[in-house]
Amino acid sequence: MEKTTISSRELAELLSGGIQNLLLHKDEVNDLNVFPIPDGDTGSNMLMTIQGGENIRPYENEGIGDYARRTADSMLFSARGNSGVILSQIADGIAEGLEGVECASVEDTARAFKCGVAHAYSAVAEPVEGTILTVVREAAEYAASLKCADIREYLDAFIVQARESLRHTPELLDVLKKSGVVDSGGAGLIYIIEGALSVLKGETIEGTGDFTGHMAPAAPGATLNFDLFDEDSELVYGYCTELLLRLQRKKTDIDNFDLPAFREFLQSIGDSVVCLKTGSVVKLHVHTKEPYRVLQYGQQFGEYLTVKIENMSLQHNNLPADSRLAHPEEHKQFAIVAVASGEGIKENFREMGTDRIVQGGQTMNPSADDFIDAFRRVNADTIFVLPNNSNVILAAQQAAKLYDMADVRVIPTHSIGDGYAVLSMLDLDSGNADEIEQDMIRSMEGVVTGSVTRCIRDTEMDGFHLREGQYLGIVGKDIVSADNDRRDTACMLTARMDFTDHQICILIRGKDSTEEEAEEIASMLRKEHRDCEIYVLNGGQEIYSYYIILE
């Protein structure tokens, strides 16, 4: 029987099928890592991004366009990693293409994917072919060209071309060819579409999967000790109130909705306010002793999709002293938000002027929502963001676009070394955001960052016959040393780094390195580079045994 349209309820089922199939193949996608180092997080990032839309269920008689918009809005906030951000932008474009549609025909679906492709390409400053962008574009173009009448035929054609495009990605991107892999983001997209098509055909997706191991850590409220707020306790900190409000046409003019007035009301009854609008969904956050007033006020304009109200006095008493933050910091003109992991690195960043640390980095990419929470907490007119990882920049940029309560500027720091350089030269005294931003960008010029980490698979790359478990020395995107001994790898790495015109070398040791070994390396560097100041820091970072930064 021909399947000519898809309803919102069916789209929800297709989304669940895509999520389950990606979960089953997540590790395969993660393993399609270009570099043989602990990184493979593409599958995990795409999974956590698309899971952001999983709990958005269609209303009775809701059109597919409205439902697609709600799921896409949720994915924009949950997006993490470059692959996750691009996936969320595909969903955002699909929602735009389905605007006003009740049930989607093949023609509607083809138009929606065309919009999805356009959004994905626009999300990247310099689109690179041979990636998920190529796969989704070529698949959408081919499927649309066939003028199918059946949705299943359209998705079948989409997958056929997507697989062909994926097979050719190494021909378009030399780094994939050298590594002997195809693009991981494209592979993840195919698994999602395959899962959706299986549901549409009535097929069973093998395995049930375990989602719990791949979700973000549970919120503090999940393990609260209720005895910390008893019959005689006083409500000191109020309630952390987080809501998603779906604006309703019968209650308000959605296009001309007065967001500043809503934000002003929230500020009148509490603090730590976030009030953002994407499409017809408003994301709210406020600390208040009267959450019922938020619910009453918001219901004038729509209905709530999610409601979370937590007693902050209970949260405050349950958290370690250094984790407590019931209210945002005092308002300031400028603030710095930086991504980092490792207690030593985080402490150094704070001492150098960072106002808020977002936990993350390699294998732990923060979501757009993680950044938005940090922006809210620093409470500044202008916020400078240091992602410090190439795979985090897009999520930071997406968060900056979603957050309208401050001037957020993402500084393209691709490494911890870039972040250190920016902070070491930090000067906010001019009071001019444009000048400060340009100074930050200039401070990264000439910075070289090397790192030592473990090889996770046997492969050949950059002229090295690499074996699993070996230590690798990396500068930028190039492997320059490899050895079974960690210290020797670090020494060979430094021998291949150009110290010319650099006055400072920072050696940051990780969790698996010893103080004695780090000092031996530093001593060797002091002998070989007498004009360079050598500093040793205990970063405490995972994954990387050493960072070596030349400024």
Side-chain angles (χ1 to χ4, degrees), residues 202-398:
E203 300 170 352
T204 301
I205 298 175
E206 293 296 326
T208 57
D210 174 18
F211 286 78
T212 59
H214 314 291
M215 299 296 287
T223 56
L224 291 179
N225 178 3
F226 296 122
D227 291 336
L228 296 176
F229 194 86
D230 59 24
E231 296 82 355
D232 299 314
S233 298
E234 180 181 354
L235 185 67
V236 175
Y237 299 101
Y239 296 92
C240 178
T241 306
E242 296 184 47
L243 312 165
L244 282 182
L245 173 68
R246 170 65 175 230
L247 300 175
Q248 305 280 246
R249 292 191 180 92
K250 63 183 178 182
K251 292 188 175 187
T252 189
D253 181 347
I254 296 174
D255 293 333
N256 297 306
F257 178 70
D258 194 347
L259 193 67
F262 202 131
R263 183 180 295 128
E264 185 176 344
F265 167 76
L266 296 178
Q267 291 169 335
S268 73
I269 64 168
D271 57 25
S272 195
V273 171
V274 168
C275 191
L276 310 172
K277 177 177 177 286
T278 58
S280 60
V281 175
V282 179
K283 178 182 176 65
L284 309 172
H285 178 284
V286 61
H287 292 171
T288 178
K289 291 185 178 181
E290 302 172 302
Y292 69 92
R293 294 183 62 186
V294 183
L295 294 170
Q296 288 177 340
Y297 187 83
Q299 214 162 12
Q300 297 177 75
F301 311 105
E303 302 297 342
Y304 293 103
L305 304 176
T306 62
V307 175
K308 186 175 78 170
I309 300 174
E310 294 183 330
N311 184 328
M312 289 196 301
S313 297
L314 187 59
Q315 285 184 325
H316 186 272
N317 293 337
N318 196 72
L319 292 172
D322 61 356
S323 300
R324 297 174 185 169
L325 184 61
H327 300 280
E329 299 171 11
E330 183 179 348
H331 187 78
K332 62 191 74 173
Q333 183 179 6
F334 300 117
I336 308 294
V337 170
V339 177
S341 64
E343 291 308 312
I345 292 176
K346 291 191 287 186
E347 184 57 34
N348 270 277
F349 273 21
R350 292 188 189 100
E351 292 174 355
M352 297 169 76
T354 302
D355 297 276
R356 190 79 189 173
I357 300 290
V358 176
Q359 174 69 25
Q362 199 77 353
T363 75
M364 301 178 293
N365 300 152
S367 68
D369 214 16
D370 292 331
F371 281 107
I372 289 171
D373 181 63
F375 301 161
R376 171 182 62 81
R377 290 176 182 268
V378 295
N379 191 20
D381 293 325
T382 302
I383 302 170
F384 299 102
V385 187
L386 309 180
N388 299 330
N389 187 290
S390 298
N391 204 32
V392 176
I393 293 175
L394 280 186
Q397 291 173 337
Q398 182 147 299

Side-chain angles (χ1 to χ4, degrees), residues 74-118:
S74 184
M75 286 174 61
L76 288 173
F77 286 106
S78 63
R80 64 188 73 218
N82 294 343
S83 54
V85 171
I86 292 172
L87 180 63
S88 74
Q89 288 295 326
I90 292 172
D92 189 50
I94 288 174
E96 180 181 291
L98 292 175
E99 184 176 358
V101 176
E102 291 300 313
C103 285
S105 65
V106 175
E107 185 179 353
D108 294 326
T109 303
R111 182 181 65 251
F113 267 104
K114 182 179 179 180
C115 287
V117 170

